């Protein structure tokens, strides 16, 4: 039974290792690997290419231990390493040897090596040689013979050279790596950044070792994400860690988590002439960045030369996003709160927790003479846009949701998902909607534009300036009506980036959103009486920003989750009565603040 369990474990670990190796461009040294709960296999599963075992010669056996007091008779180099490797190769769990063992001798070099040589005769078929160039190599560390004796040992045995002094006359062909204590160079604890002169000393030594075409490792080095990344960036060949699986997971995702913005966007400078003015509110523009938290905004800011259109604004606050039935909202409940001023259950669109229909902003504002429109980078049956026209308890019932669009008070809708409305086309025409195929000039009173039959592509997949152009068209179309208007613009795929833990998607989608924000701010400057509100329905991904570089437009994002979180989201306002949106409040208050300002015009 134990053998079957061990083999199953090895198979699972092997699968994990192969997945990790597919994406990694780093090498790990599993420090004191014999102390792991599952020695060897933990390191192997993480794709470690250097695996360390301390060895003590006692009673003719090579015990895996750091000191005599910790010796366990069952834990030998054979039982923990050589036998599993041989069995793994035989069973196919190990397809090839792409790692070595670093054997740290804790007892005198020469007698310990004599026993090691004798023990290795039983494993000759797996060892490196001219005839077996892909065989197992052992690198001897700790107590070592004199360098002049290295050549006396077999082809599979190499040595760990430990000195700052390197020269051409060393026996380089028998040196497997160069290792030194990190404390010879730096006192850095792995938090923040290394002091520059210490960092340079480490880098210089790495470069020196590389000049002899050899690999380098530091022991006693900090063992944290910041440290792993720093050593990776400096080119340390074997990153020393006691946590190989965690290190492999972090480093393998660096390519996804780090994003460099290829081109900076210009930023519009608001005039602030109408910002906070007590002029009557004639137009309300609500921009919702789905899933867009403070870290998402910050990542775009740092990737764009430390400036955004959004961050020019001065009136801001925070919104609490909880749903009626859950601490963490979904987009349906979050958008319904903005659209109706009422909390509802997750998954519900435009209805209260009991399922009763709630009037949304386009419905209510129609009674005050407002035109209205919605734009989204999502499908139009998506939770956020649907909250502004539908009344249904389940967000995934696309057919039922689509049926509400012809009945809505909307004058304009632009988004994807046209296929979901195929059965509603006649009803849309009867409701007075002219379905257009582009955003050209039109004299129609009500316009519908399905940009795609299904989902729109992401920004990095070629969506182009769709959101900016749609926003500009909508502003022009609604302004020409010569009536007050309400417009909701959703940037949906910031949320997708959070769900996928994709830094590139988050930054690119937020920067795309920021271009639409600039268009709206400029419109507000040109049209006093316009109120602009920019917020999010919730945060997605539990995103943080551990590192970045503003000069190179690069950020590293880290993720706590692949789902929504309950953290407050920022809200920004510009234009007429923008100062009313300062503070911390519930998401429902956005609706009530809007209505308060609209009603002031009547009174």
């Amino acid at each position: 039974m134990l053998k079957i369990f061990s083999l199953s474990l090895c198979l699972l670990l092997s699968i994990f290792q192969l997945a990790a190796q597919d994406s990694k461009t780093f090498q790990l040294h599993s420090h004191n690997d014999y102390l792991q709960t599952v020695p060897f296999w933990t390191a192997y599963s993480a794709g470690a290419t250097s695996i360390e075992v301390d060895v003590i010669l006692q009673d003719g056996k090579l015990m895996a231990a750091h000191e005599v007091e910790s010796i366990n008779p069952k834990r030998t180099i054979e039982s923990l390493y050589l036998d599993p490797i041989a069995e793994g190769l035989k069973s196919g769990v190990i397809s090839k040897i792409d790692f070595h063992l670093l054997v740290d001798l804790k007892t005198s070099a020469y007698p310990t090596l004599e026993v090691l040589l004798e023990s290795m005769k039983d494993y000759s078929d797996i060892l490196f040689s001219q005839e077996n160039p892909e065989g197992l190599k052992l690198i001897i560390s700790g107590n070592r013979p004199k360098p002049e004796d290295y050549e006396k040992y077999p082809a599979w045995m190499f040595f760990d050279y430990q000195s700052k002094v390197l020269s051409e006359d060393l026996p380089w062909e028998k040196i497997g790596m160069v290792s030194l204590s990190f404390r010879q160079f730096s006192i850095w604890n792995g938090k923040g950044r290394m002091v520059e002169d210490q960092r340079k000393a480490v880098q210089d030594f790495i470069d020196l070792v590389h000049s002899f075409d050899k690999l380098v490792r530091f022991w006693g080095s900090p063992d944290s994400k910041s440290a792993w990344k720093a050593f990776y960036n400096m080119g340390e060949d074997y990153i020393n860690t006691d946590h190989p699986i965690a290190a492999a997971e972090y480093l393998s995702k660096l390519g996804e988590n780090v994003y460099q913005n290829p081109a900076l966007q210009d930023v519009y400078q608001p005039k602030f002439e109408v910002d906070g003015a007590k002029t009557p509110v004639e137009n309300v523009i609500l921009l919702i960045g789905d899933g867009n938290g403070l870290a998402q905004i910050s990542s775009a800011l740092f990737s764009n030369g430390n400036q955004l259109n959004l961050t020019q604004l001065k009136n801001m606050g925070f919104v609490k996003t909880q749903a009626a039935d859950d601490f963490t909202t979904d987009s349906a409940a979050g958008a319904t709160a903005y659209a109706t001023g009422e909390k509802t259950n997750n998954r519900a669109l435009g209805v209260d927790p009991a399922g009763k229909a709630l009037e949304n902003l386009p419905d209510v504002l129609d009674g005050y003479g407002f035109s209205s429109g919605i734009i989204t980078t999502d499908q139009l049956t998506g939770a956020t846009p649907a909250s502004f026209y539908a009344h249904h308890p389940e967000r995934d019932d696309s057919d039922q949701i689509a049926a509400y669009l012809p009945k809505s008070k909307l004058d304009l809708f632009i988004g994807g998902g046209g296929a979901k409305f195929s059965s509603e086309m006649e009803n849309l025409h009867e409701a007075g909607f002219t379905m257009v195929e582009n955003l050209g000039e039109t004299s129609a009173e009500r316009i519908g534009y399905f940009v795609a039959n299904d989902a729109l592509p992401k920004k990095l997949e070629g969506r182009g300036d769709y959101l900016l152009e749609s926003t500009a068209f909508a502003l022009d179309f609604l302004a020409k009506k010569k009536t007050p208007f309400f417009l909701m613009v959703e940037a949906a795929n910031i949320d997708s980036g959070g769900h996928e833990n994709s830094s590139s998607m988050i930054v690119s989608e937020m920067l795309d959103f920021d271009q639409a924000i600039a268009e709206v701010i400029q419109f507000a400057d040109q049209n006093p009486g316009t109120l602009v509100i920019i917020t999010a329905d919730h945060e997605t991904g539990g995103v943080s920003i551990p590192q970045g570089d503003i000069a190179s437009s690069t950020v590293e994002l880290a993720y706590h989750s692949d789902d929504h979180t309950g953290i407050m989201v920022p809200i920004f306002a510009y234009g007429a009565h923008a100062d009313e949106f300062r503070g911390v409040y519930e998401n429902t208050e956005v609706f009530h603040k809007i209505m308060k300002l609209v009603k002031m015009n009547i009174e």
Side-chain angles (χ1 to χ4, degrees):
M1 179 67 74
L2 182 58
K3 245 184 193 180
I4 294 173
F5 172 77
S6 297
L7 183 57
S8 299
L9 175 64
C10 294
L11 285 167
L12 288 171
L13 292 173
S14 180
I15 291 169
F16 180 93
Q17 180 217 23
L18 292 174
Q21 287 177 336
D22 285 343
S23 58
K24 75 179 182 65
T25 56
F26 55 88
Q27 298 190 89
L28 295 178
H29 173 82
S30 183
H31 176 250
N32 288 347
D33 181 77
Y34 58 95
L35 297 177
Q36 297 287 345
T37 303
V38 186
F40 176 69
W41 290 115
T42 298
Y44 179 76
S45 71
T49 52
S50 181
I51 303 173
E52 178 181 338
V53 53
D54 289 356
V55 165
I56 295 175
L57 176 60
Q58 186 180 71
D59 299 331
K61 294 184 178 181
L62 300 174
M63 312 307 299
H66 188 272
E67 61 281 310
V68 173
E69 292 77 13
S70 63
I71 287 176
N72 180 332
K74 295 181 179 180
R75 296 169 66 84
T76 66
I77 189 174
E78 292 91 348
S79 66
L80 295 186
Y81 294 93
L82 300 174
D83 289 342
I85 292 170
E87 291 169 7
L89 287 166
K90 185 178 180 180
S91 67
V93 172
I94 300 175
S95 58
K96 65 176 181 177
I97 296 177
D98 52 3
F99 55 87
H100 65 251
L101 295 181
L102 186 133
V103 183
D104 192 338
L105 306 185
K106 297 302 182 183
T107 45
S108 298
Y110 290 98
T112 306
L113 287 177
E114 285 183 22
V115 175
L116 180 61
L117 289 169
E118 188 64 28
S119 297
M120 296 306 291
K121 290 179 181 178
D122 293 334
Y123 305 94
S124 58
D125 58 329
I126 69 170
L127 295 176
F128 170 82
S129 65
Q130 286 187 343
E131 295 75 27
N132 186 19
E134 295 185 356
L136 179 66
K137 297 177 181 179
L138 271 61
I139 298 178
I140 306 303
S141 188
N143 294 322
R144 290 148 296 146
K146 298 175 182 178
E148 55 266 30
D149 290 337
Y150 288 179
E151 294 289 346
K152 298 177 182 178
Y153 292 91
W156 50 263
M157 186 179 291
F158 295 82
F159 297 89
D160 184 20
Y161 194 74
Q162 299 180 4
S163 173
K164 282 186 174 182
V165 181
L166 306 179
S167 61
E168 294 286 352
D169 59 354
L170 290 173
W172 287 110
E173 66 281 358
K174 291 294 287 182
I175 294 175
M177 72 167 73
V178 178
S179 298
L180 280 177
S181 168
F182 180 74
R183 297 306 167 194
Q184 292 190 44
F185 301 90
S186 174
I187 60 171
W188 184 49
N189 66 356
K191 309 297 182 186
R193 284 187 176 272
M194 209 181 310
V195 174
E196 178 56 25
D197 60 346
Q198 296 177 14
R199 190 206 64 81
K200 185 176 184 304
V202 175
Q203 186 68 70
D204 288 347
F205 186 71
I206 291 172
D207 294 343
L208 175 62
V209 175
H210 288 172
S211 72
F212 290 95
D213 199 26
K214 288 297 173 180
L215 307 179
V216 63
R217 172 184 73 99
F218 298 103
W219 77 81
S221 56
D223 200 6
S224 65
K225 290 179 180 179
S226 295
W228 300 332
K229 183 184 178 187
F231 296 133
Y232 169 79
N233 288 338
M234 286 191 287
E236 181 184 9
D237 300 288
Y238 296 115
I239 297 172
N240 196 78
T241 181
D242 292 324
H243 310 284
I245 290 178
E249 182 178 11
Y250 171 74
L251 290 169
S252 66
K253 291 182 178 178
L254 263 184
E256 301 171 30
N257 292 349
V258 175
Y259 179 69
Q260 183 174 29
N261 179 25
L264 300 185
Q265 296 178 176
D266 292 334
V267 169
Y268 172 74
Q269 297 296 326
K271 295 179 180 179
F272 294 107
E273 293 172 358
V274 297
D275 193 35
K278 301 309 178 185
T279 183
V281 172
E282 298 176 356
N283 308 312
V284 178
I285 307 171
L286 174 62
L287 299 102
I288 300 175
D290 199 323
N292 196 30
L294 189 58
Q296 286 84 344
I297 294 168
S298 301
S299 68
L301 174 76
F302 302 140
S303 299
N304 197 56
N306 215 15
Q307 57 180 359
L308 289 176
N309 296 292
L310 179 59
T311 56
Q312 309 300 311
L313 305 187
K314 300 176 181 178
N315 289 296
M316 61 195 74
F318 286 99
V319 171
K320 294 179 276 188
T321 64
Q322 282 62 48
D325 66 338
D326 200 343
F327 177 80
T328 303
T329 192
D330 73 348
S331 294
T336 295
Y338 289 141
T340 70
E342 299 292 334
K343 295 276 188 180
T344 192
N345 295 339
N346 279 343
R347 309 198 65 80
L349 299 168
V351 295
D352 68 11
K356 179 183 176 182
L358 298 168
E359 278 195 305
N360 54 45
L361 279 169
D363 293 339
V364 176
L365 292 175
D366 180 69
Y368 291 87
F370 276 64
S371 304
S372 60
I374 57 173
I375 301 170
T376 181
T377 55
D378 193 4
Q379 300 188 52
L380 279 156
T381 53
T384 299
S387 294
F388 289 84
Y389 69 82
H391 310 278
H392 192 71
E394 174 48 59
R395 59 182 288 179
D396 281 347
D397 291 340
S398 299
D399 291 343
Q400 293 94 317
I401 292 167
Y404 282 98
L405 189 56
K407 306 170 188 174
S408 74
K409 298 297 184 180
L410 294 172
D411 297 279
L412 169 73
F413 61 82
I414 304 174
K420 303 281 178 63
F421 294 86
S422 57
S423 63
E424 295 298 327
M425 290 309 239
E426 185 176 342
N427 292 332
L428 287 168
H429 286 301
E430 289 181 358
F433 282 101
T434 298
M435 307 308 296
V436 300
E437 296 183 0
N438 58 63
L439 296 178
E441 286 289 330
T442 177
S443 59
E445 286 297 311
R446 303 181 84 184
I447 290 177
Y449 179 28
F450 292 116
V451 188
N453 280 331
D454 298 304
L456 281 76
K458 308 297 190 291
K459 179 66 176 178
L460 292 178
E461 295 171 347
R463 192 175 66 230
D465 291 331
Y466 154 77
L467 187 61
L468 171 62
E469 292 169 358
S470 298
T471 302
F473 173 85
L475 293 173
D476 181 64
F477 171 78
L478 293 170
K480 284 179 178 177
K481 288 181 172 292
K482 304 298 182 181
T483 62
F485 69 79
F486 168 77
L487 175 65
M488 191 284 294
V489 179
E490 184 204 18
N493 299 124
I494 303 169
D495 177 65
S496 302
H499 283 301
E500 295 183 25
N501 287 181
S502 170
S503 301
S504 59
M505 193 185 305
I506 286 173
V507 175
S508 60
E509 294 291 339
M510 176 55 215
L511 287 173
D512 184 54
F513 186 37
D514 197 54
Q515 287 190 304
I517 291 169
E519 187 72 18
V520 170
I521 294 172
Q522 189 169 1
F523 180 88
D525 278 341
Q526 296 167 355
N527 295 270
T530 298
L531 168 63
V532 178
I533 306 162
I534 307 156
T535 188
D537 48 357
H538 53 73
E539 193 275 347
T540 305
V543 183
S544 63
I545 308 177
Q547 272 295 347
D549 179 53
I550 293 171
S552 64
S553 305
T554 303
V555 288
E556 176 192 353
L557 304 188
Y559 302 90
H560 173 74
S561 170
D562 62 359
D563 205 346
H564 303 171
T565 70
I567 194 170
M568 292 189 294
V569 294
I571 186 167
F572 297 79
Y574 184 73
H577 293 273
D579 54 335
E580 297 281 344
F581 291 83
R582 296 175 185 173
V584 178
Y585 41 88
E586 294 289 344
N587 49 10
T588 51
E589 285 303 302
V590 174
F591 172 94
H592 295 297
K593 287 176 182 289
I594 291 171
M595 292 310 305
K596 172 187 172 183
L597 295 173
V598 169
K599 290 175 181 178
M600 284 173 60
N601 292 355
I602 308 302
E603 298 168 357

